[in-house]
Coordinates of all heavy atoms in Angstrom, one line a residue:
M25 N 101.0 171.0 177.5 CA 101.7 170.3 178.4 C 103.1 169.8 177.9 O 103.1 169.3 176.7 CB 100.9 169.0 178.9 CG 101.5 168.2 179.8 SD 100.4 167.0 180.5 CE 101.0 165.6 179.6
T26 N 104.1 170.1 178.6 CA 105.4 169.7 178.1 C 105.7 168.1 178.5 O 105.4 167.7 179.5 CB 106.6 170.4 178.8 OG1 106.4 171.9 178.6 CG2 107.9 170.1 178.4
Q27 N 106.2 167.4 177.4 CA 106.6 166.1 177.7 C 107.9 165.8 177.2 O 108.5 166.4 176.5 CB 105.5 165.3 176.9 CG 105.3 165.6 175.5 CD 104.1 164.9 174.8 OE1 104.1 163.7 175.0 NE2 103.4 165.7 174.1
G28 N 108.4 164.5 177.6 CA 109.7 164.2 177.3 C 109.6 162.8 176.4 O 108.7 162.1 176.5
K29 N 110.8 162.7 175.6 CA 110.9 161.5 174.9 C 112.4 161.1 174.9 O 113.2 162.0 174.7 CB 110.5 161.8 173.3 CG 110.7 160.6 172.5 CD 109.7 159.5 172.6 CE 110.0 158.4 171.6 NZ 109.1 157.4 171.7
G30 N 112.6 160.0 175.4 CA 114.0 159.6 175.6 C 114.5 158.3 175.0 O 113.5 157.5 174.5
F31 N 115.8 158.2 174.8 CA 116.4 157.0 174.2 C 117.6 156.7 175.0 O 118.4 157.5 175.5 CB 116.7 157.4 172.8 CG 115.7 157.9 172.0 CD1 115.3 159.3 172.0 CD2 114.9 157.1 171.3 CE1 114.2 159.7 171.3 CE2 113.8 157.5 170.5 CZ 113.5 158.8 170.5
L32 N 117.9 155.4 174.9 CA 119.2 154.9 175.3 C 120.1 155.0 174.2 O 119.9 154.6 173.0 CB 119.1 153.4 175.7 CG 120.4 152.7 176.3 CD1 120.7 153.3 177.7 CD2 120.2 151.3 176.3
I33 N 121.3 155.7 174.4 CA 122.3 156.0 173.3 C 123.6 155.5 173.7 O 123.9 155.4 174.9 CB 122.3 157.5 172.9 CG1 122.8 158.3 174.1 CG2 121.0 157.9 172.4 CD1 123.2 159.8 173.6
D34 N 124.5 155.4 172.8 CA 125.9 154.9 173.1 C 126.7 155.7 172.2 O 126.7 155.7 170.9 CB 126.0 153.4 172.7 CG 127.2 152.8 173.3 OD1 128.0 153.5 174.0 OD2 127.5 151.6 173.0
L35 N 127.7 156.5 172.8 CA 128.6 157.4 172.0 C 130.0 156.8 172.2 O 130.7 156.9 173.2 CB 128.6 158.9 172.6 CG 127.3 159.6 172.6 CD1 127.4 160.8 173.3 CD2 126.6 159.6 171.2
K36 N 130.4 155.9 171.1 CA 131.6 155.1 171.2 C 132.8 155.7 170.9 O 133.9 155.3 171.3 CB 131.3 153.8 170.4 CG 130.2 153.0 170.8 CD 130.1 151.8 169.8 CE 128.7 151.2 169.9 NZ 128.0 151.0 168.8
S37 N 132.7 156.8 170.1 CA 134.0 157.4 169.5 C 133.9 158.8 169.6 O 132.8 159.4 169.8 CB 134.1 156.9 168.0 OG 133.1 157.5 167.3
M38 N 135.0 159.4 169.3 CA 135.0 160.9 169.3 C 134.2 161.4 168.2 O 133.5 162.4 168.3 CB 136.5 161.4 169.0 CG 136.6 162.9 169.1 SD 136.4 163.6 170.8 CE 137.7 163.0 171.7
E39 N 134.0 160.7 167.1 CA 133.2 161.2 166.0 C 131.7 161.1 166.4 O 130.9 162.0 166.0 CB 133.4 160.2 164.7 CG 134.7 160.6 163.9 CD 134.7 162.1 163.5 OE1 133.7 162.6 163.0 OE2 135.8 162.7 163.8
D40 N 131.5 160.0 167.2 CA 130.0 159.9 167.7 C 129.6 161.1 168.6 O 128.6 161.7 168.5 CB 129.8 158.6 168.5 CG 129.7 157.4 167.6 OD1 129.5 157.5 166.4 OD2 129.8 156.3 168.2
I41 N 130.6 161.5 169.4 CA 130.3 162.6 170.4 C 130.2 163.9 169.6 O 129.3 164.6 169.8 CB 131.5 162.7 171.4 CG1 131.5 161.5 172.3 CG2 131.4 164.0 172.1 CD1 132.8 161.4 173.2
K42 N 131.1 164.1 168.6 CA 130.9 165.4 167.8 C 129.6 165.4 167.1 O 128.9 166.4 167.0 CB 132.1 165.4 166.9 CG 133.5 165.8 167.4 CD 134.5 165.8 166.3 CE 135.9 165.8 166.8 NZ 136.8 165.7 165.7
S43 N 129.3 164.3 166.4 CA 128.1 164.2 165.8 C 126.8 164.4 166.6 O 125.9 165.2 166.3 CB 127.9 162.8 165.0 OG 126.7 162.7 164.3
F44 N 126.8 163.8 167.8 CA 125.7 164.0 168.8 C 125.6 165.5 169.2 O 124.5 166.0 169.2 CB 126.0 163.1 170.0 CG 125.0 163.2 171.0 CD1 123.7 162.7 171.0 CD2 125.2 164.1 172.2 CE1 122.9 162.9 172.0 CE2 124.3 164.3 173.2 CZ 123.1 163.8 173.0
A45 N 126.7 166.1 169.6 CA 126.8 167.4 169.9 C 126.2 168.4 168.9 O 125.4 169.3 169.2 CB 128.2 167.9 170.3
N46 N 126.6 168.1 167.6 CA 126.2 168.9 166.5 C 124.7 168.7 166.2 O 124.0 169.6 165.7 CB 127.0 168.7 165.3 CG 128.3 169.2 165.3 OD1 128.6 170.2 165.9 ND2 129.2 168.6 164.6
T47 N 124.2 167.5 166.6 CA 122.8 167.2 166.4 C 121.9 167.9 167.4 O 120.9 168.5 167.1 CB 122.5 165.7 166.5 OG1 123.3 165.0 165.3 CG2 121.1 165.4 166.3
V48 N 122.2 167.8 168.7 CA 121.3 168.3 169.8 C 121.2 169.8 169.8 O 120.3 170.2 170.2 CB 121.7 167.7 171.1 CG1 121.5 166.2 171.1 CG2 123.0 168.0 171.6
V49 N 122.3 170.5 169.3 CA 122.2 171.9 169.4 C 121.2 172.6 168.4 O 120.8 173.7 168.7 CB 123.7 172.6 169.3 CG1 124.5 172.2 170.3 CG2 124.2 172.3 167.9
K50 N 120.9 171.9 167.5 CA 119.8 172.3 166.5 C 118.4 172.5 167.1 O 117.7 173.1 166.4 CB 119.8 171.7 165.2 CG 119.3 170.3 165.2 CD 119.4 169.6 163.9 CE 118.7 168.3 163.8 NZ 118.8 167.7 162.5
Y51 N 118.2 171.9 168.3 CA 116.8 171.8 168.8 C 116.7 173.0 169.8 O 117.5 173.3 170.6 CB 116.5 170.5 169.6 CG 116.4 169.4 168.5 CD1 117.6 168.6 168.3 CD2 115.3 169.2 167.9 CE1 117.5 167.6 167.3 CE2 115.1 168.2 166.9 CZ 116.3 167.4 166.7 OH 116.2 166.4 165.7
D52 N 115.5 173.6 169.8 CA 115.2 174.8 170.6 C 114.9 174.3 172.0 O 115.2 175.0 173.0 CB 114.0 175.6 170.2 CG 114.4 176.4 168.9 OD1 115.5 176.7 168.7 OD2 113.5 176.5 168.0
S53 N 114.3 173.1 172.1 CA 114.0 172.5 173.5 C 115.2 172.0 174.2 O 116.3 171.8 173.7 CB 113.0 171.4 173.3 OG 111.8 171.9 172.6
D54 N 114.9 171.9 175.5 CA 115.9 171.3 176.4 C 116.2 169.9 176.0 O 115.3 169.1 175.7 CB 115.6 171.4 177.9 CG 115.6 172.8 178.5 OD1 116.3 173.7 177.8 OD2 115.0 173.0 179.4
V55 N 117.5 169.5 176.0 CA 117.9 168.1 175.8 C 118.8 167.7 177.0 O 119.8 168.4 177.3 CB 118.6 167.9 174.5 CG1 119.0 166.4 174.3 CG2 117.7 168.3 173.3
N56 N 118.4 166.7 177.7 CA 119.2 166.2 178.9 C 119.9 164.9 178.7 O 119.2 164.1 177.9 CB 118.2 166.1 180.1 CG 117.7 167.5 180.5 OD1 118.4 168.5 180.5 ND2 116.4 167.5 180.9
I57 N 121.0 164.7 179.2 CA 121.6 163.4 179.1 C 121.8 162.9 180.5 O 122.2 163.6 181.4 CB 122.8 163.4 178.2 CG1 123.5 162.1 177.9 CG2 124.0 164.2 178.9 CD1 124.4 162.1 176.7
Y58 N 121.5 161.7 180.8 CA 121.7 161.0 182.1 C 122.7 160.0 182.1 O 122.7 159.1 181.3 CB 120.2 160.4 182.5 CG 119.1 161.4 182.5 CD1 118.4 161.7 181.2 CD2 118.8 162.1 183.6 CE1 117.4 162.6 181.3 CE2 117.7 163.0 183.6 CZ 117.0 163.3 182.3 OH 116.0 164.3 182.4
Q59 N 123.4 160.0 183.3 CA 124.4 159.0 183.6 C 124.1 158.6 185.0 O 124.4 159.4 185.9 CB 125.8 159.3 183.3 CG 126.8 158.1 183.4 CD 128.0 158.4 182.6 OE1 128.2 159.4 182.0 NE2 128.8 157.4 182.9
G60 N 123.7 157.4 185.2 CA 123.3 157.1 186.6 C 122.2 157.9 187.1 O 121.2 158.0 186.4
S61 N 122.3 158.5 188.2 CA 121.2 159.3 188.8 C 121.4 160.8 188.5 O 120.6 161.7 188.9 CB 121.1 159.1 190.3 OG 122.3 159.6 190.9
K62 N 122.5 161.2 187.7 CA 122.7 162.6 187.4 C 122.3 162.9 185.9 O 122.4 162.1 185.1 CB 124.2 162.9 187.6 CG 124.6 162.6 189.0 CD 126.0 163.1 189.2 CE 126.4 162.8 190.6 NZ 127.6 163.4 191.1
S63 N 121.8 164.1 185.9 CA 121.4 164.6 184.5 C 122.3 165.8 184.2 O 122.9 166.6 185.0 CB 119.9 165.1 184.5 OG 119.8 166.3 185.0
Y64 N 122.6 165.9 182.9 CA 123.5 167.0 182.3 C 122.8 167.6 181.1 O 122.0 167.0 180.5 CB 124.9 166.4 181.9 CG 125.5 165.7 183.0 CD1 125.3 164.3 183.3 CD2 126.5 166.3 183.8 CE1 126.0 163.5 184.2 CE2 127.1 165.5 184.8 CZ 126.9 164.2 185.1 OH 127.4 163.6 186.0
D65 N 123.2 168.8 180.8 CA 122.7 169.5 179.6 C 123.5 168.9 178.4 O 124.6 169.0 178.3 CB 123.1 171.0 179.8 CG 122.7 171.7 178.6 OD1 122.1 171.2 177.6 OD2 122.9 173.1 178.6
A66 N 122.7 168.2 177.6 CA 123.2 167.5 176.4 C 123.8 168.5 175.3 O 124.5 168.1 174.5 CB 122.2 166.6 175.9
K67 N 123.4 169.7 175.5 CA 123.9 170.7 174.5 C 125.4 171.3 175.0 O 126.0 172.1 174.3 CB 123.0 171.9 174.4 CG 121.7 171.4 173.8 CD 120.7 172.6 173.6 CE 119.4 172.1 173.1 NZ 118.4 173.2 172.9
S68 N 125.9 170.8 176.1 CA 127.1 171.4 176.7 C 128.2 170.3 176.3 O 128.2 169.1 176.8 CB 127.1 171.4 178.2 OG 128.4 171.5 178.6
I69 N 129.0 170.6 175.4 CA 130.1 169.7 174.9 C 131.0 169.4 176.0 O 131.5 168.3 176.2 CB 130.9 170.3 173.8 CG1 131.8 169.3 173.1 CG2 131.7 171.6 174.3 CD1 131.1 168.4 172.3
I70 N 131.2 170.3 177.0 CA 132.0 169.9 178.2 C 131.3 168.8 179.0 O 131.9 167.9 179.5 CB 132.2 171.2 179.2 CG1 133.0 172.2 178.3 CG2 132.9 170.8 180.5 CD1 133.1 173.5 179.0
A71 N 130.0 168.9 179.2 CA 129.3 167.8 179.9 C 129.4 166.5 179.2 O 129.6 165.4 179.8 CB 127.8 168.2 180.1
I72 N 129.2 166.5 177.9 CA 129.3 165.3 177.1 C 130.7 164.6 177.3 O 130.7 163.4 177.5 CB 128.9 165.6 175.7 CG1 127.5 166.1 175.5 CG2 129.2 164.2 174.8 CD1 127.2 166.5 174.1
F73 N 131.7 165.4 177.2 CA 133.2 164.9 177.3 C 133.4 164.4 178.6 O 134.2 163.5 178.9 CB 134.2 166.0 176.9 CG 134.4 166.0 175.4 CD1 134.0 167.1 174.7 CD2 134.9 165.0 174.7 CE1 134.2 167.3 173.3 CE2 135.1 165.0 173.3 CZ 134.8 166.1 172.7
A74 N 132.7 164.9 179.7 CA 133.0 164.5 181.0 C 132.2 163.1 181.4 O 132.6 162.5 182.4 CB 132.4 165.5 182.1
L75 N 131.4 162.7 180.6 CA 130.6 161.4 180.8 C 131.5 160.2 180.4 O 132.4 160.3 179.6 CB 129.3 161.3 180.0 CG 128.4 162.5 180.3 CD1 127.2 162.4 179.3 CD2 127.8 162.3 181.7
D76 N 131.3 159.1 181.1 CA 131.9 157.9 180.9 C 131.4 157.2 179.6 O 130.2 157.0 179.3 CB 131.7 156.9 182.0 CG 132.2 155.5 181.8 OD1 133.0 155.3 180.8 OD2 132.1 154.6 182.8
T77 N 132.3 157.1 178.6 CA 131.9 156.6 177.2 C 131.9 155.1 177.2 O 131.6 154.6 176.1 CB 132.9 157.2 176.2 OG1 134.2 156.7 176.5 CG2 132.8 158.7 176.1
S78 N 132.2 154.4 178.2 CA 132.3 153.0 178.2 C 130.9 152.3 178.3 O 130.8 151.1 178.1 CB 133.3 152.4 179.3 OG 132.7 152.7 180.5
I79 N 129.8 153.1 178.7 CA 128.5 152.6 178.9 C 127.5 153.5 178.2 O 127.7 154.7 178.0 CB 128.1 152.4 180.4 CG1 128.2 153.8 181.1 CG2 129.0 151.4 181.1 CD1 127.7 153.8 182.5
P80 N 126.4 152.9 177.7 CA 125.3 153.7 177.2 C 124.8 154.7 178.2 O 124.9 154.5 179.4 CB 124.3 152.6 176.8 CG 125.0 151.4 176.8 CD 126.1 151.5 177.8
R81 N 124.1 155.6 177.7 CA 123.3 156.5 178.6 C 122.0 156.9 178.0 O 121.7 156.6 176.9 CB 124.2 157.8 178.9 CG 124.5 158.7 177.7 CD 125.7 159.5 177.7 NE 126.9 158.8 178.1 CZ 127.8 158.0 177.5 NH1 127.5 157.7 176.2 NH2 128.8 157.4 177.9
F82 N 121.2 157.6 178.8 CA 119.9 157.9 178.4 C 119.8 159.5 178.0 O 120.4 160.2 178.7 CB 118.9 157.6 179.5 CG 117.5 157.8 179.3 CD1 116.8 156.8 178.5 CD2 116.8 158.9 179.7 CE1 115.5 157.0 178.3 CE2 115.4 159.0 179.4 CZ 114.8 158.1 178.6
V83 N 119.2 159.7 176.9 CA 119.1 161.2 176.4 C 117.5 161.4 176.3 O 116.8 160.6 175.9 CB 119.9 161.4 175.2 CG1 119.3 160.6 174.0 CG2 119.9 162.9 174.9
E84 N 117.2 162.6 176.6 CA 115.7 163.0 176.6 C 115.6 164.4 176.1 O 116.2 165.3 176.5 CB 115.2 162.8 178.0 CG 113.7 163.2 178.1 CD 113.3 163.2 179.5 OE1 114.1 163.5 180.5 OE2 112.1 162.7 179.7
I85 N 114.6 164.6 175.2 CA 114.2 165.9 174.8 C 113.0 166.3 175.6 O 112.1 165.4 175.7 CB 114.0 166.1 173.2 CG1 113.7 167.6 172.9 CG2 112.9 165.2 172.7 CD1 113.9 167.7 171.4
I86 N 112.9 167.5 176.1 CA 111.8 168.0 176.8 C 111.1 169.0 175.9 O 111.5 170.1 175.7 CB 112.2 168.7 178.1 CG1 113.1 167.8 178.9 CG2 111.0 169.1 178.9 CD1 112.5 166.6 179.4
S87 N 109.9 168.6 175.4 CA 109.2 169.4 174.3 C 107.7 169.1 174.3 O 107.3 168.0 174.7 CB 109.8 169.2 172.9 OG 109.2 169.9 171.9
N88 N 107.0 170.1 173.9 CA 105.5 169.8 173.6 C 105.3 169.9 172.2 O 104.1 169.8 171.7 CB 104.6 170.8 174.4 CG 105.0 172.2 174.1 OD1 105.7 172.5 173.2 ND2 104.4 173.1 174.8
D89 N 106.2 170.0 171.3 CA 106.2 170.0 169.8 C 106.3 168.6 169.3 O 107.4 168.1 169.3 CB 107.2 171.0 169.3 CG 107.2 171.2 167.9 OD1 106.6 170.3 167.1 OD2 107.7 172.3 167.4
K90 N 105.2 168.1 168.9 CA 105.3 166.6 168.3 C 106.3 166.5 167.1 O 107.0 165.5 167.0 CB 103.9 166.2 167.9 CG 103.0 165.7 169.0 CD 101.8 165.2 168.5 CE 100.9 164.5 169.6 NZ 99.9 163.7 169.1
E91 N 106.3 167.5 166.3 CA 107.2 167.4 165.2 C 108.6 167.4 165.6 O 109.4 166.7 165.1 CB 106.9 168.5 164.2 CG 107.7 168.5 162.9 CD 107.3 169.5 161.9 OE1 106.1 169.9 161.8 OE2 108.3 170.0 161.2
E92 N 108.9 168.3 166.6 CA 110.3 168.3 167.1 C 110.7 167.0 167.7 O 111.8 166.5 167.5 CB 110.5 169.5 168.1 CG 111.8 169.6 168.6 CD 112.0 170.8 169.6 OE1 111.1 170.9 170.5 OE2 113.0 171.5 169.4
I93 N 109.7 166.4 168.5 CA 110.1 165.2 169.2 C 110.3 164.0 168.1 O 111.2 163.2 168.2 CB 108.9 164.7 170.1 CG1 108.9 165.7 171.3 CG2 109.0 163.3 170.6 CD1 107.6 165.6 172.2
E94 N 109.5 164.0 167.0 CA 109.6 163.0 166.0 C 111.0 163.2 165.2 O 111.8 162.3 164.9 CB 108.5 163.1 165.0 CG 107.2 162.6 165.5 CD 106.1 162.9 164.7 OE1 106.2 163.5 163.6 OE2 104.8 162.6 165.0
D95 N 111.4 164.4 165.0 CA 112.7 164.7 164.3 C 113.8 164.3 165.3 O 114.8 163.7 164.8 CB 112.9 166.2 164.0 CG 111.9 166.8 163.0 OD1 111.4 165.9 162.2 OD2 111.8 167.9 162.9
F96 N 113.7 164.6 166.6 CA 114.6 164.2 167.5 C 114.8 162.6 167.6 O 116.0 162.1 167.6 CB 114.3 164.7 169.0 CG 115.3 164.4 170.0 CD1 116.5 165.2 170.1 CD2 115.1 163.3 170.9 CE1 117.4 164.8 171.1 CE2 116.1 163.1 171.9 CZ 117.2 163.8 171.9
A97 N 113.7 161.9 167.5 CA 113.7 160.5 167.5 C 114.5 159.9 166.3 O 115.3 159.0 166.4 CB 112.3 159.9 167.5
R98 N 114.2 160.5 165.1 CA 115.0 160.1 163.9 C 116.4 160.4 164.0 O 117.2 159.5 163.7 CB 114.4 160.8 162.7 CG 113.1 160.1 162.1 CD 112.7 160.8 160.8 NE 112.4 162.1 160.8 CZ 111.2 162.5 161.2 NH1 110.2 161.7 161.5 NH2 110.9 163.8 161.2
D99 N 116.7 161.5 164.6 CA 118.1 161.9 164.7 C 118.9 161.0 165.7 O 120.1 160.7 165.6 CB 118.3 163.4 165.2 CG 118.1 164.3 164.0 OD1 118.1 163.8 162.9 OD2 117.9 165.5 164.3
M100 N 118.3 160.5 166.7 CA 118.8 159.7 167.8 C 119.1 158.2 167.3 O 119.8 157.5 167.9 CB 118.0 159.7 169.0 CG 118.1 161.0 169.8 SD 119.8 161.5 170.3 CE 120.1 162.8 169.1
E101 N 118.3 157.8 166.3 CA 118.4 156.5 165.8 C 119.8 156.0 165.6 O 120.2 154.8 165.9 CB 117.6 156.2 164.5 CG 116.1 156.2 164.7 CD 115.3 156.0 163.5 OE1 115.9 155.9 162.4 OE2 114.1 156.1 163.6
K102 N 120.6 156.8 165.0 CA 122.1 156.4 164.7 C 122.9 156.2 165.9 O 124.0 155.6 165.9 CB 122.7 157.4 163.8 CG 122.9 158.8 164.3 CD 123.5 159.7 163.3 CE 123.3 161.1 163.7 NZ 123.5 162.1 162.6
F103 N 122.4 156.7 167.1 CA 123.2 156.5 168.4 C 122.6 155.4 169.2 O 123.2 155.1 170.4 CB 123.2 157.8 169.1 CG 123.7 159.0 168.4 CD1 122.9 160.0 167.9 CD2 125.0 159.0 168.0 CE1 123.4 161.0 167.3 CE2 125.6 160.1 167.3 CZ 124.7 161.2 166.9
V104 N 121.6 154.8 168.9 CA 120.9 153.8 169.7 C 121.7 152.5 169.5 O 121.8 152.0 168.4 CB 119.5 153.6 169.4 CG1 118.7 152.5 170.1 CG2 118.6 154.9 169.6
P105 N 122.1 151.9 170.7 CA 122.8 150.6 170.6 C 121.9 149.4 170.1 O 120.7 149.5 170.2 CB 123.4 150.4 171.9 CG 122.6 151.2 172.8 CD 122.0 152.4 172.0
T106 N 122.5 148.5 169.4 CA 121.9 147.4 168.9 C 121.3 146.6 170.2 O 121.9 146.7 171.3 CB 122.6 146.5 168.1 OG1 123.8 146.0 168.8 CG2 123.1 147.2 166.9
K107 N 120.4 145.6 170.0 CA 119.9 144.8 171.0 C 121.2 144.0 171.7 O 121.2 143.9 172.9 CB 118.9 143.8 170.5 CG 118.4 142.8 171.5 CD 117.5 143.4 172.5 CE 116.9 142.3 173.3 NZ 117.1 142.4 174.7
E108 N 121.9 143.5 170.8 CA 123.2 142.7 171.3 C 124.1 143.6 172.1 O 124.5 143.2 173.2 CB 124.0 142.1 170.1 CG 123.2 141.1 169.3 CD 122.2 141.7 168.4 OE1 122.2 142.8 168.0 OE2 121.1 140.9 168.2
E109 N 124.3 144.8 171.7 CA 125.1 145.7 172.5 C 124.4 146.1 173.8 O 125.1 146.2 174.9 CB 125.3 147.1 171.7 CG 126.2 146.9 170.6 CD 126.3 148.1 169.7 OE1 125.3 148.8 169.5 OE2 127.4 148.4 169.1
Q110 N 123.1 146.2 173.7 CA 122.4 146.5 175.1 C 122.5 145.4 176.1 O 122.6 145.7 177.2 CB 120.9 146.9 174.7 CG 120.7 148.2 174.1 CD 119.2 148.4 173.8 OE1 118.3 148.0 174.5 NE2 119.0 149.2 172.7
D111 N 122.4 144.2 175.6 CA 122.4 143.0 176.4 C 123.6 142.9 177.3 O 123.6 142.7 178.5 CB 122.3 141.7 175.6 CG 120.8 141.5 175.1 OD1 119.9 142.1 175.6 OD2 120.7 140.6 174.2
G112 N 124.8 143.4 176.8 CA 126.0 143.4 177.5 C 126.2 144.5 178.4 O 126.9 144.5 179.2
Q113 N 125.6 145.7 178.0 CA 125.9 146.9 178.8 C 124.7 147.6 179.5 O 124.9 148.3 180.3 CB 126.5 147.9 177.8 CG 127.7 147.5 177.2 CD 128.3 148.6 176.3 OE1 127.5 149.3 175.6 NE2 129.5 148.8 176.1
Y114 N 123.6 147.1 179.2 CA 122.4 147.8 179.8 C 122.4 147.8 181.3 O 122.1 148.8 181.9 CB 121.1 147.1 179.2 CG 119.8 147.9 179.5 CD1 119.5 149.0 178.8 CD2 119.0 147.5 180.5 CE1 118.4 149.8 179.1 CE2 117.8 148.2 180.9 CZ 117.5 149.3 180.2 OH 116.4 149.9 180.4
T115 N 122.6 146.7 181.9 CA 122.7 146.6 183.4 C 123.6 147.5 184.0 O 123.4 148.1 185.0 CB 122.9 145.2 183.9 OG1 124.1 144.8 183.3 CG2 121.8 144.2 183.5
Q116 N 124.8 147.8 183.3 CA 125.8 148.8 183.9 C 125.2 150.2 184.1 O 125.7 150.9 184.9 CB 127.1 148.8 183.0 CG 127.7 147.5 182.9 CD 129.0 147.7 182.0 OE1 129.4 148.8 181.8 NE2 129.4 146.6 181.4
L117 N 124.3 150.4 183.2 CA 123.8 151.9 183.1 C 123.1 152.1 184.6 O 123.0 153.3 185.0 CB 122.7 152.0 182.0 CG 122.0 153.3 181.8 CD1 123.1 154.3 181.3 CD2 121.0 153.2 180.7
W118 N 122.4 151.1 185.2 CA 121.7 151.4 186.4 C 122.4 150.9 187.6 O 121.8 151.1 188.7 CB 120.4 150.6 186.3 CG 119.7 150.9 185.1 CD1 119.5 150.1 183.9 CD2 119.2 152.3 184.6 NE1 118.9 150.8 182.9 CE2 118.6 152.1 183.4 CE3 119.1 153.5 185.2 CZ2 118.1 153.2 182.6 CZ3 118.4 154.5 184.6 CH2 118.0 154.4 183.3
L119 N 123.6 150.4 187.5 CA 124.5 150.0 188.7 C 125.0 151.3 189.5 O 125.3 152.2 188.9 CB 125.5 149.1 188.4 CG 124.9 147.8 187.8 CD1 126.1 146.9 187.4 CD2 124.0 147.0 188.9

């Protein structure tokens, strides 16, 4: 059974975007990034650059491989906003 594992992430700079793009392409499974009600292919650098960088967004890997999901979780840690950052921006994600 395929399952997803997702995270709220914040790509604040061009370096964050590049690092994120280089990270997600190494996964064989689908990785989606969500902004509002729309989803995008997180492996598409064009899609990533088209997103609003002023607010955090949700990213999800779709996989049934537990090891891959765990690796993805570790890789996403550097993009997860702090609790303080989330408090100020989290509501914007869903407006």
Side-chain angles (χ1 to χ4, degrees):
M25 179 170 104
T26 302
Q27 51 187 313
K29 175 76 174 176
F31 303 89
L32 183 70
I33 62 166
D34 198 2
L35 305 175
K36 299 178 196 130
S37 68
M38 187 63 71
E39 285 303 314
D40 286 346
I41 292 169
K42 287 180 192 175
S43 178
F44 176 79
N46 288 330
T47 300
V48 296
V49 297
K50 72 181 187 179
Y51 291 96
D52 291 331
S53 296
D54 289 339
V55 180
N56 297 320
I57 193 163
Y58 300 88
Q59 188 162 354
S61 62
K62 297 188 179 189
S63 79
Y64 303 89
D65 178 358
K67 294 180 183 180
S68 167
I69 192 74
I70 294 170
I72 296 169
F73 277 113
L75 298 174
D76 181 356
T77 59
S78 67
I79 59 172
R81 65 210 40 87
F82 187 77
V83 66
E84 176 182 44
I85 187 166
I86 310 298
S87 177
N88 58 3
D89 181 338
K90 281 188 169 189
E91 186 175 324
E92 183 180 45
I93 292 170
E94 290 170 3
D95 289 345
F96 184 77
R98 275 191 295 279
D99 283 344
M100 291 299 107
E101 285 177 3
K102 63 185 165 195
F103 304 111
V104 174
T106 64
K107 174 77 171 121
E108 293 78 26
E109 291 170 326
Q110 287 182 32
D111 286 345
Q113 296 180 327
Y114 189 77
T115 54
Q116 292 180 28
L117 185 66
W118 308 111
L119 296 178

